[in-house]
Amino acid sequence: MHAPSEYQNIHPQNANVSSMQKPFMRIPYTGPLPPPIVVPRNANTPTGAIAALTRFLSAPAPPLLPNTNGRTVLLTGAGVSVASGLADYRGTAGTYTLNKTYRPIYYNEFISNHEARKRYWARSFLGWTNLHRAKPNAAHWAVRDLGERGFIGEVITQNVDSFHPVAHPDLPTLELHGYLRSLLCIHCGNHLPRKDFQQSLSNLNPAWAAFLSEMLETGALDSEHPDERRKKGLKSNPDGDVDVPNAPYTTFRYPACPTCLANPPVLPDGSQSNVQVDADGAWSPRSTAGVLKPAVIMFGESIAAGVKVAAEEAIDKASRILVIGSSLATYSAWRLVKRAKERHMPIGVLNLGGVRGEESFYADVPADNDGSLGVRCSESADKILPTVVQNLEFLASAPDRVEMPARQDVHV
C-alpha cells in the first residue's frame, strides 16, 4: 500500500501567538495533568462509582441555588466517544499521550496558508469515512435516557462528531466547538454538507481517492487506536485526522466555495473579491475569497459570542454539573466548571485520568459526602452510565428505598 508520490515538505506558518492569549478561544492546555482523585473515597470501584453518581444525579437542588431548574447540565469531551471507535486527546491511548510531537492545525495558519489547507484537507479526506460511519455508544444512549427521565436538562459538548444530537435530538445540545458534519465559508458564511464536500475532494484527487479505497479494502482504517494504525504506517488523531508519513500533501486539491464562485463577495475593506478555480474546479491561490473551513472552532479560534452566552446560561440555570470524558484541558471548557464552582454548584467528574484543576473543585466538599455534594471517579462512561440509569429507574419505582440493589453485571 503506497501513498501518492511527489512528496515535498510543507512548512506551515506559526500561529499568531498574541491572538492565542484572548479569552474564549479554543486553546489546548499543555501543562501536566494531576493524577485523578476519588470523591467519595468508596467511588474507587465501578460499583462505588455507580452508587456515587446515582446519588449525585438524584440529589435535590442545593438550597443556595433556588432559581434553577433542579437538573444537571452535562459537559462532555472526547473521552465519551472513545467507545465509538474515535481517538481522543489525553486518554490512555490518546494522541497527546502516545504522540508527544503532535500539533493540531491552528486557525490563523489554516486561513492564511494554502499549503497548510492542502495538508489539512488531505488528512481529513482520509479520516472522514470512518468518522462518518461511527455511531453513538452506550454512554450517549444513557445520556438520552437520563434526559428523558428528567435528570439532565442540557448537554454542552466539546465534541464535533454530532453523536449527542443524533442520540438525543429532544435533549438540548450545545456544540461548544462546532461540528464536522458541514463546512463554513470564511468569506460569505455559506454552509456546505461535508458529504458533498467529500465527493468533491474525491473528484479532484483521483489518486488520493484510489489510495483511500485501497486502505478501506485492506482494513487499514478499521481501528482508531494509534498503535494499530501506526503498525499500518498511519497516525490517527482526533476529529477524523489521518496522517500518512511522507505523503505528497502538496499535490492535494480542494474546491472553492460554490456561493463565492457564483457571486464573489465584497471584502471587509470594500474591494471586490476574486475567486478563481482551475479547469477541474479546484480553488486557485490567485483567489482572494472562496475558502471553506470545517464548521468547527479550530485551536486559536474564538468561540462565537452567542455560543459563549448560551453555555454560561446553561450553567446558570442548572443545579449541578457533571463532566464526562474531558480533562478540561481547553480554557473554553474549564471556565464553565470554574463558573459552576463560583456559583457553589455540586460538581461531578467521570473521566479516565487526571482533570485540570480538579483538586480545587472538591476542596470544600465534606468528608462524609456520599456523592450528593460532589463526585469524582475514573471510570469509562460507556460501562458506568447505563447502570446508573438502571439505579435511578429503581429509585423512581421504589422512592422509599434508600439504598440501591447491588449490581453484579458491571464489566470493566
Side-chain angles (χ1 to χ4, degrees), residues 296-332:
V296 301
I297 302 300
M298 291 181 153
F299 286 104
E301 183 178 0
S302 296
I303 293 174
V307 174
K308 169 185 171 293
V309 171
E312 293 172 347
E313 290 177 345
I315 299 297
D316 292 349
K317 67 185 179 185
S319 297
R320 55 191 63 231
I321 184 171
L322 176 59
V323 179
I324 302 179
S326 175
S327 61
L328 302 178
T330 57
Y331 177 73
S332 54

PDB file of all heavy atoms in Angstrom, residues 296-332:
ATOM      1  N   VAL A 296     -16.048  23.862  12.621  1.00  0.00           N
ATOM      2  CA  VAL A 296     -15.578  23.635  13.988  1.00  0.00           C
ATOM      3  C   VAL A 296     -14.798  24.855  14.447  1.00  0.00           C
ATOM      4  O   VAL A 296     -14.323  25.647  13.629  1.00  0.00           O
ATOM      5  CB  VAL A 296     -14.679  22.383  14.091  1.00  0.00           C
ATOM      6  CG1 VAL A 296     -15.420  21.143  13.624  1.00  0.00           C
ATOM      7  CG2 VAL A 296     -13.405  22.562  13.288  1.00  0.00           C
ATOM      8  N   ILE A 297     -14.673  24.997  15.750  1.00  0.00           N
ATOM      9  CA  ILE A 297     -13.803  26.021  16.312  1.00  0.00           C
ATOM     10  C   ILE A 297     -12.406  25.428  16.366  1.00  0.00           C
ATOM     11  O   ILE A 297     -12.127  24.527  17.157  1.00  0.00           O
ATOM     12  CB  ILE A 297     -14.267  26.446  17.714  1.00  0.00           C
ATOM     13  CG1 ILE A 297     -15.709  26.960  17.664  1.00  0.00           C
ATOM     14  CG2 ILE A 297     -13.333  27.505  18.290  1.00  0.00           C
ATOM     15  CD1 ILE A 297     -15.903  28.157  16.764  1.00  0.00           C
ATOM     16  N   MET A 298     -11.537  25.905  15.494  1.00  0.00           N
ATOM     17  CA  MET A 298     -10.169  25.394  15.471  1.00  0.00           C
ATOM     18  C   MET A 298      -9.388  25.928  16.667  1.00  0.00           C
ATOM     19  O   MET A 298      -9.789  26.913  17.304  1.00  0.00           O
ATOM     20  CB  MET A 298      -9.487  25.811  14.169  1.00  0.00           C
ATOM     21  CG  MET A 298     -10.054  25.132  12.933  1.00  0.00           C
ATOM     22  SD  MET A 298      -9.176  25.652  11.438  1.00  0.00           S
ATOM     23  CE  MET A 298      -9.433  24.212  10.406  1.00  0.00           C
ATOM     24  N   PHE A 299      -8.287  25.294  16.963  1.00  0.00           N
ATOM     25  CA  PHE A 299      -7.431  25.799  18.026  1.00  0.00           C
ATOM     26  C   PHE A 299      -6.968  27.206  17.650  1.00  0.00           C
ATOM     27  O   PHE A 299      -6.555  27.462  16.520  1.00  0.00           O
ATOM     28  CB  PHE A 299      -6.235  24.877  18.258  1.00  0.00           C
ATOM     29  CG  PHE A 299      -6.610  23.603  18.954  1.00  0.00           C
ATOM     30  CD1 PHE A 299      -6.709  22.408  18.258  1.00  0.00           C
ATOM     31  CD2 PHE A 299      -6.877  23.598  20.315  1.00  0.00           C
ATOM     32  CE1 PHE A 299      -7.062  21.234  18.893  1.00  0.00           C
ATOM     33  CE2 PHE A 299      -7.238  22.427  20.970  1.00  0.00           C
ATOM     34  CZ  PHE A 299      -7.326  21.252  20.254  1.00  0.00           C
ATOM     35  N   GLY A 300      -7.064  28.116  18.609  1.00  0.00           N
ATOM     36  CA  GLY A 300      -6.713  29.504  18.363  1.00  0.00           C
ATOM     37  C   GLY A 300      -7.836  30.337  17.790  1.00  0.00           C
ATOM     38  O   GLY A 300      -7.657  31.530  17.555  1.00  0.00           O
ATOM     39  N   GLU A 301      -9.003  29.746  17.579  1.00  0.00           N
ATOM     40  CA  GLU A 301     -10.145  30.469  17.026  1.00  0.00           C
ATOM     41  C   GLU A 301     -11.109  30.838  18.151  1.00  0.00           C
ATOM     42  O   GLU A 301     -11.332  30.059  19.076  1.00  0.00           O
ATOM     43  CB  GLU A 301     -10.865  29.613  15.991  1.00  0.00           C
ATOM     44  CG  GLU A 301     -12.027  30.312  15.306  1.00  0.00           C
ATOM     45  CD  GLU A 301     -12.692  29.435  14.253  1.00  0.00           C
ATOM     46  OE1 GLU A 301     -12.255  28.277  14.062  1.00  0.00           O
ATOM     47  OE2 GLU A 301     -13.651  29.915  13.620  1.00  0.00           O
ATOM     48  N   SER A 302     -11.701  32.006  18.069  1.00  0.00           N
ATOM     49  CA  SER A 302     -12.634  32.456  19.094  1.00  0.00           C
ATOM     50  C   SER A 302     -13.980  31.764  18.959  1.00  0.00           C
ATOM     51  O   SER A 302     -14.483  31.566  17.852  1.00  0.00           O
ATOM     52  CB  SER A 302     -12.838  33.975  19.002  1.00  0.00           C
ATOM     53  OG  SER A 302     -11.649  34.673  19.272  1.00  0.00           O
ATOM     54  N   ILE A 303     -14.556  31.416  20.087  1.00  0.00           N
ATOM     55  CA  ILE A 303     -15.913  30.884  20.113  1.00  0.00           C
ATOM     56  C   ILE A 303     -16.886  32.033  19.905  1.00  0.00           C
ATOM     57  O   ILE A 303     -16.715  33.121  20.461  1.00  0.00           O
ATOM     58  CB  ILE A 303     -16.175  30.175  21.452  1.00  0.00           C
ATOM     59  CG1 ILE A 303     -15.306  28.919  21.543  1.00  0.00           C
ATOM     60  CG2 ILE A 303     -17.645  29.823  21.625  1.00  0.00           C
ATOM     61  CD1 ILE A 303     -15.367  28.228  22.870  1.00  0.00           C
ATOM     62  N   ALA A 304     -17.908  31.819  19.109  1.00  0.00           N
ATOM     63  CA  ALA A 304     -18.885  32.865  18.825  1.00  0.00           C
ATOM     64  C   ALA A 304     -19.523  33.373  20.115  1.00  0.00           C
ATOM     65  O   ALA A 304     -19.774  32.599  21.050  1.00  0.00           O
ATOM     66  CB  ALA A 304     -19.957  32.335  17.881  1.00  0.00           C
ATOM     67  N   ALA A 305     -19.783  34.666  20.161  1.00  0.00           N
ATOM     68  CA  ALA A 305     -20.343  35.282  21.367  1.00  0.00           C
ATOM     69  C   ALA A 305     -21.657  34.618  21.767  1.00  0.00           C
ATOM     70  O   ALA A 305     -21.921  34.401  22.957  1.00  0.00           O
ATOM     71  CB  ALA A 305     -20.536  36.778  21.137  1.00  0.00           C
ATOM     72  N   GLY A 306     -22.505  34.289  20.789  1.00  0.00           N
ATOM     73  CA  GLY A 306     -23.779  33.663  21.100  1.00  0.00           C
ATOM     74  C   GLY A 306     -23.625  32.306  21.750  1.00  0.00           C
ATOM     75  O   GLY A 306     -24.387  31.945  22.656  1.00  0.00           O
ATOM     76  N   VAL A 307     -22.626  31.518  21.304  1.00  0.00           N
ATOM     77  CA  VAL A 307     -22.369  30.211  21.892  1.00  0.00           C
ATOM     78  C   VAL A 307     -21.830  30.365  23.308  1.00  0.00           C
ATOM     79  O   VAL A 307     -22.224  29.635  24.222  1.00  0.00           O
ATOM     80  CB  VAL A 307     -21.379  29.413  21.015  1.00  0.00           C
ATOM     81  CG1 VAL A 307     -20.986  28.108  21.686  1.00  0.00           C
ATOM     82  CG2 VAL A 307     -21.985  29.156  19.648  1.00  0.00           C
ATOM     83  N   LYS A 308     -20.950  31.320  23.493  1.00  0.00           N
ATOM     84  CA  LYS A 308     -20.398  31.593  24.828  1.00  0.00           C
ATOM     85  C   LYS A 308     -21.508  31.931  25.814  1.00  0.00           C
ATOM     86  O   LYS A 308     -21.574  31.395  26.930  1.00  0.00           O
ATOM     87  CB  LYS A 308     -19.390  32.730  24.745  1.00  0.00           C
ATOM     88  CG  LYS A 308     -18.942  33.297  26.085  1.00  0.00           C
ATOM     89  CD  LYS A 308     -18.046  34.492  25.885  1.00  0.00           C
ATOM     90  CE  LYS A 308     -17.760  35.213  27.191  1.00  0.00           C
ATOM     91  NZ  LYS A 308     -18.955  35.857  27.751  1.00  0.00           N
ATOM     92  N   VAL A 309     -22.407  32.825  25.408  1.00  0.00           N
ATOM     93  CA  VAL A 309     -23.507  33.237  26.283  1.00  0.00           C
ATOM     94  C   VAL A 309     -24.434  32.061  26.565  1.00  0.00           C
ATOM     95  O   VAL A 309     -24.873  31.852  27.705  1.00  0.00           O
ATOM     96  CB  VAL A 309     -24.284  34.405  25.648  1.00  0.00           C
ATOM     97  CG1 VAL A 309     -25.558  34.690  26.429  1.00  0.00           C
ATOM     98  CG2 VAL A 309     -23.416  35.655  25.603  1.00  0.00           C
ATOM     99  N   ALA A 310     -24.734  31.256  25.545  1.00  0.00           N
ATOM    100  CA  ALA A 310     -25.621  30.112  25.728  1.00  0.00           C
ATOM    101  C   ALA A 310     -25.027  29.103  26.698  1.00  0.00           C
ATOM    102  O   ALA A 310     -25.747  28.512  27.517  1.00  0.00           O
ATOM    103  CB  ALA A 310     -25.898  29.451  24.376  1.00  0.00           C
ATOM    104  N   ALA A 311     -23.711  28.900  26.631  1.00  0.00           N
ATOM    105  CA  ALA A 311     -23.057  27.977  27.560  1.00  0.00           C
ATOM    106  C   ALA A 311     -23.140  28.494  28.990  1.00  0.00           C
ATOM    107  O   ALA A 311     -23.409  27.731  29.927  1.00  0.00           O
ATOM    108  CB  ALA A 311     -21.605  27.767  27.144  1.00  0.00           C
ATOM    109  N   GLU A 312     -22.912  29.768  29.172  1.00  0.00           N
ATOM    110  CA  GLU A 312     -22.996  30.356  30.505  1.00  0.00           C
ATOM    111  C   GLU A 312     -24.410  30.273  31.054  1.00  0.00           C
ATOM    112  O   GLU A 312     -24.624  29.990  32.244  1.00  0.00           O
ATOM    113  CB  GLU A 312     -22.513  31.802  30.457  1.00  0.00           C
ATOM    114  CG  GLU A 312     -21.025  31.939  30.161  1.00  0.00           C
ATOM    115  CD  GLU A 312     -20.604  33.373  29.916  1.00  0.00           C
ATOM    116  OE1 GLU A 312     -21.497  34.240  29.736  1.00  0.00           O
ATOM    117  OE2 GLU A 312     -19.387  33.633  29.892  1.00  0.00           O
ATOM    118  N   GLU A 313     -25.397  30.505  30.197  1.00  0.00           N
ATOM    119  CA  GLU A 313     -26.794  30.418  30.640  1.00  0.00           C
ATOM    120  C   GLU A 313     -27.163  28.992  31.026  1.00  0.00           C
ATOM    121  O   GLU A 313     -27.931  28.776  31.974  1.00  0.00           O
ATOM    122  CB  GLU A 313     -27.718  30.930  29.539  1.00  0.00           C
ATOM    123  CG  GLU A 313     -27.623  32.433  29.305  1.00  0.00           C
ATOM    124  CD  GLU A 313     -28.489  32.902  28.151  1.00  0.00           C
ATOM    125  OE1 GLU A 313     -28.945  32.040  27.360  1.00  0.00           O
ATOM    126  OE2 GLU A 313     -28.699  34.130  28.028  1.00  0.00           O
ATOM    127  N   ALA A 314     -26.624  28.008  30.302  1.00  0.00           N
ATOM    128  CA  ALA A 314     -26.891  26.611  30.640  1.00  0.00           C
ATOM    129  C   ALA A 314     -26.336  26.273  32.020  1.00  0.00           C
ATOM    130  O   ALA A 314     -26.964  25.524  32.785  1.00  0.00           O
ATOM    131  CB  ALA A 314     -26.282  25.694  29.581  1.00  0.00           C
ATOM    132  N   ILE A 315     -25.171  26.826  32.349  1.00  0.00           N
ATOM    133  CA  ILE A 315     -24.595  26.619  33.677  1.00  0.00           C
ATOM    134  C   ILE A 315     -25.460  27.300  34.730  1.00  0.00           C
ATOM    135  O   ILE A 315     -25.798  26.712  35.773  1.00  0.00           O
ATOM    136  CB  ILE A 315     -23.155  27.163  33.740  1.00  0.00           C
ATOM    137  CG1 ILE A 315     -22.247  26.434  32.737  1.00  0.00           C
ATOM    138  CG2 ILE A 315     -22.595  27.046  35.164  1.00  0.00           C
ATOM    139  CD1 ILE A 315     -22.082  24.973  32.973  1.00  0.00           C
ATOM    140  N   ASP A 316     -25.850  28.521  34.477  1.00  0.00           N
ATOM    141  CA  ASP A 316     -26.539  29.330  35.484  1.00  0.00           C
ATOM    142  C   ASP A 316     -27.924  28.803  35.840  1.00  0.00           C
ATOM    143  O   ASP A 316     -28.404  29.025  36.959  1.00  0.00           O
ATOM    144  CB  ASP A 316     -26.649  30.773  35.008  1.00  0.00           C
ATOM    145  CG  ASP A 316     -25.297  31.472  34.938  1.00  0.00           C
ATOM    146  OD1 ASP A 316     -24.314  30.907  35.454  1.00  0.00           O
ATOM    147  OD2 ASP A 316     -25.218  32.566  34.343  1.00  0.00           O
ATOM    148  N   LYS A 317     -28.584  28.124  34.918  1.00  0.00           N
ATOM    149  CA  LYS A 317     -29.936  27.643  35.229  1.00  0.00           C
ATOM    150  C   LYS A 317     -29.953  26.207  35.754  1.00  0.00           C
ATOM    151  O   LYS A 317     -31.015  25.702  36.145  1.00  0.00           O
ATOM    152  CB  LYS A 317     -30.832  27.763  34.001  1.00  0.00           C
ATOM    153  CG  LYS A 317     -30.473  26.864  32.839  1.00  0.00           C
ATOM    154  CD  LYS A 317     -31.376  27.175  31.647  1.00  0.00           C
ATOM    155  CE  LYS A 317     -31.032  26.314  30.439  1.00  0.00           C
ATOM    156  NZ  LYS A 317     -31.828  26.685  29.244  1.00  0.00           N
ATOM    157  N   ALA A 318     -28.786  25.549  35.774  1.00  0.00           N
ATOM    158  CA  ALA A 318     -28.708  24.176  36.268  1.00  0.00           C
ATOM    159  C   ALA A 318     -28.426  24.158  37.764  1.00  0.00           C
ATOM    160  O   ALA A 318     -27.946  25.144  38.353  1.00  0.00           O
ATOM    161  CB  ALA A 318     -27.636  23.395  35.519  1.00  0.00           C
ATOM    162  N   SER A 319     -28.700  23.019  38.387  1.00  0.00           N
ATOM    163  CA  SER A 319     -28.459  22.862  39.821  1.00  0.00           C
ATOM    164  C   SER A 319     -27.126  22.205  40.127  1.00  0.00           C
ATOM    165  O   SER A 319     -26.608  22.317  41.231  1.00  0.00           O
ATOM    166  CB  SER A 319     -29.577  22.025  40.453  1.00  0.00           C
ATOM    167  OG  SER A 319     -30.813  22.674  40.329  1.00  0.00           O
ATOM    168  N   ARG A 320     -26.572  21.508  39.152  1.00  0.00           N
ATOM    169  CA  ARG A 320     -25.283  20.838  39.315  1.00  0.00           C
ATOM    170  C   ARG A 320     -24.712  20.568  37.940  1.00  0.00           C
ATOM    171  O   ARG A 320     -25.414  20.643  36.937  1.00  0.00           O
ATOM    172  CB  ARG A 320     -25.427  19.552  40.131  1.00  0.00           C
ATOM    173  CG  ARG A 320     -26.427  18.567  39.590  1.00  0.00           C
ATOM    174  CD  ARG A 320     -26.715  17.446  40.599  1.00  0.00           C
ATOM    175  NE  ARG A 320     -27.315  17.989  41.805  1.00  0.00           N
ATOM    176  CZ  ARG A 320     -26.867  17.729  43.039  1.00  0.00           C
ATOM    177  NH1 ARG A 320     -25.827  16.925  43.212  1.00  0.00           N
ATOM    178  NH2 ARG A 320     -27.454  18.263  44.088  1.00  0.00           N
ATOM    179  N   ILE A 321     -23.414  20.258  37.892  1.00  0.00           N
ATOM    180  CA  ILE A 321     -22.750  19.976  36.613  1.00  0.00           C
ATOM    181  C   ILE A 321     -22.016  18.652  36.714  1.00  0.00           C
ATOM    182  O   ILE A 321     -21.399  18.338  37.734  1.00  0.00           O
ATOM    183  CB  ILE A 321     -21.773  21.115  36.219  1.00  0.00           C
ATOM    184  CG1 ILE A 321     -21.162  20.845  34.835  1.00  0.00           C
ATOM    185  CG2 ILE A 321     -20.687  21.322  37.275  1.00  0.00           C
ATOM    186  CD1 ILE A 321     -20.354  22.014  34.287  1.00  0.00           C
ATOM    187  N   LEU A 322     -22.104  17.858  35.636  1.00  0.00           N
ATOM    188  CA  LEU A 322     -21.388  16.602  35.547  1.00  0.00           C
ATOM    189  C   LEU A 322     -20.525  16.621  34.292  1.00  0.00           C
ATOM    190  O   LEU A 322     -21.037  16.787  33.180  1.00  0.00           O
ATOM    191  CB  LEU A 322     -22.365  15.424  35.495  1.00  0.00           C
ATOM    192  CG  LEU A 322     -21.759  14.030  35.305  1.00  0.00           C
ATOM    193  CD1 LEU A 322     -20.785  13.689  36.435  1.00  0.00           C
ATOM    194  CD2 LEU A 322     -22.862  12.968  35.210  1.00  0.00           C
ATOM    195  N   VAL A 323     -19.230  16.477  34.483  1.00  0.00           N
ATOM    196  CA  VAL A 323     -18.266  16.431  33.384  1.00  0.00           C
ATOM    197  C   VAL A 323     -18.010  14.972  33.027  1.00  0.00           C
ATOM    198  O   VAL A 323     -17.717  14.162  33.905  1.00  0.00           O
ATOM    199  CB  VAL A 323     -16.942  17.118  33.776  1.00  0.00           C
ATOM    200  CG1 VAL A 323     -15.930  17.035  32.634  1.00  0.00           C
ATOM    201  CG2 VAL A 323     -17.185  18.561  34.195  1.00  0.00           C
ATOM    202  N   ILE A 324     -18.132  14.627  31.751  1.00  0.00           N
ATOM    203  CA  ILE A 324     -17.916  13.251  31.317  1.00  0.00           C
ATOM    204  C   ILE A 324     -16.909  13.231  30.177  1.00  0.00           C
ATOM    205  O   ILE A 324     -17.086  13.896  29.154  1.00  0.00           O
ATOM    206  CB  ILE A 324     -19.231  12.602  30.842  1.00  0.00           C
ATOM    207  CG1 ILE A 324     -20.280  12.616  31.963  1.00  0.00           C
ATOM    208  CG2 ILE A 324     -18.983  11.179  30.363  1.00  0.00           C
ATOM    209  CD1 ILE A 324     -21.614  12.013  31.543  1.00  0.00           C
ATOM    210  N   GLY A 325     -15.837  12.469  30.352  1.00  0.00           N
ATOM    211  CA  GLY A 325     -14.877  12.237  29.271  1.00  0.00           C
ATOM    212  C   GLY A 325     -14.090  13.454  28.863  1.00  0.00           C
ATOM    213  O   GLY A 325     -13.723  13.584  27.693  1.00  0.00           O
ATOM    214  N   SER A 326     -13.782  14.333  29.795  1.00  0.00           N
ATOM    215  CA  SER A 326     -12.994  15.531  29.479  1.00  0.00           C
ATOM    216  C   SER A 326     -11.981  15.804  30.566  1.00  0.00           C
ATOM    217  O   SER A 326     -12.296  15.722  31.756  1.00  0.00           O
ATOM    218  CB  SER A 326     -13.910  16.745  29.309  1.00  0.00           C
ATOM    219  OG  SER A 326     -13.148  17.923  29.111  1.00  0.00           O
ATOM    220  N   SER A 327     -10.768  16.150  30.157  1.00  0.00           N
ATOM    221  CA  SER A 327      -9.738  16.571  31.106  1.00  0.00           C
ATOM    222  C   SER A 327      -9.792  18.079  31.335  1.00  0.00           C
ATOM    223  O   SER A 327      -8.971  18.613  32.078  1.00  0.00           O
ATOM    224  CB  SER A 327      -8.352  16.171  30.585  1.00  0.00           C
ATOM    225  OG  SER A 327      -8.097  16.808  29.342  1.00  0.00           O
ATOM    226  N   LEU A 328     -10.744  18.768  30.696  1.00  0.00           N
ATOM    227  CA  LEU A 328     -10.905  20.222  30.813  1.00  0.00           C
ATOM    228  C   LEU A 328      -9.624  20.952  30.419  1.00  0.00           C
ATOM    229  O   LEU A 328      -9.286  21.989  30.987  1.00  0.00           O
ATOM    230  CB  LEU A 328     -11.338  20.617  32.236  1.00  0.00           C
ATOM    231  CG  LEU A 328     -12.628  19.993  32.722  1.00  0.00           C
ATOM    232  CD1 LEU A 328     -12.912  20.443  34.160  1.00  0.00           C
ATOM    233  CD2 LEU A 328     -13.797  20.348  31.813  1.00  0.00           C
ATOM    234  N   ALA A 329      -8.919  20.397  29.444  1.00  0.00           N
ATOM    235  CA  ALA A 329      -7.631  20.966  29.058  1.00  0.00           C
ATOM    236  C   ALA A 329      -7.753  22.162  28.121  1.00  0.00           C
ATOM    237  O   ALA A 329      -6.742  22.768  27.791  1.00  0.00           O
ATOM    238  CB  ALA A 329      -6.752  19.897  28.417  1.00  0.00           C
ATOM    239  N   THR A 330      -8.965  22.484  27.695  1.00  0.00           N
ATOM    240  CA  THR A 330      -9.152  23.718  26.930  1.00  0.00           C
ATOM    241  C   THR A 330      -9.862  24.729  27.820  1.00  0.00           C
ATOM    242  O   THR A 330     -10.782  24.389  28.570  1.00  0.00           O
ATOM    243  CB  THR A 330      -9.988  23.491  25.653  1.00  0.00           C
ATOM    244  OG1 THR A 330     -11.250  22.932  26.007  1.00  0.00           O
ATOM    245  CG2 THR A 330      -9.268  22.565  24.699  1.00  0.00           C
ATOM    246  N   TYR A 331      -9.439  25.977  27.705  1.00  0.00           N
ATOM    247  CA  TYR A 331      -9.979  27.024  28.569  1.00  0.00           C
ATOM    248  C   TYR A 331     -11.481  27.185  28.382  1.00  0.00           C
ATOM    249  O   TYR A 331     -12.211  27.446  29.352  1.00  0.00           O
ATOM    250  CB  TYR A 331      -9.269  28.349  28.270  1.00  0.00           C
ATOM    251  CG  TYR A 331      -9.820  29.506  29.073  1.00  0.00           C
ATOM    252  CD1 TYR A 331      -9.557  29.613  30.445  1.00  0.00           C
ATOM    253  CD2 TYR A 331     -10.598  30.480  28.473  1.00  0.00           C
ATOM    254  CE1 TYR A 331     -10.063  30.672  31.181  1.00  0.00           C
ATOM    255  CE2 TYR A 331     -11.119  31.544  29.206  1.00  0.00           C
ATOM    256  CZ  TYR A 331     -10.847  31.634  30.557  1.00  0.00           C
ATOM    257  OH  TYR A 331     -11.361  32.674  31.288  1.00  0.00           O
ATOM    258  N   SER A 332     -11.967  27.030  27.165  1.00  0.00           N
ATOM    259  CA  SER A 332     -13.390  27.223  26.888  1.00  0.00           C
ATOM    260  C   SER A 332     -14.259  26.269  27.702  1.00  0.00           C
ATOM    261  O   SER A 332     -15.396  26.613  28.053  1.00  0.00           O
ATOM    262  CB  SER A 332     -13.658  27.034  25.396  1.00  0.00           C
ATOM    263  OG  SER A 332     -13.162  25.787  24.938  1.00  0.00           O
TER     264      SER A 332
END
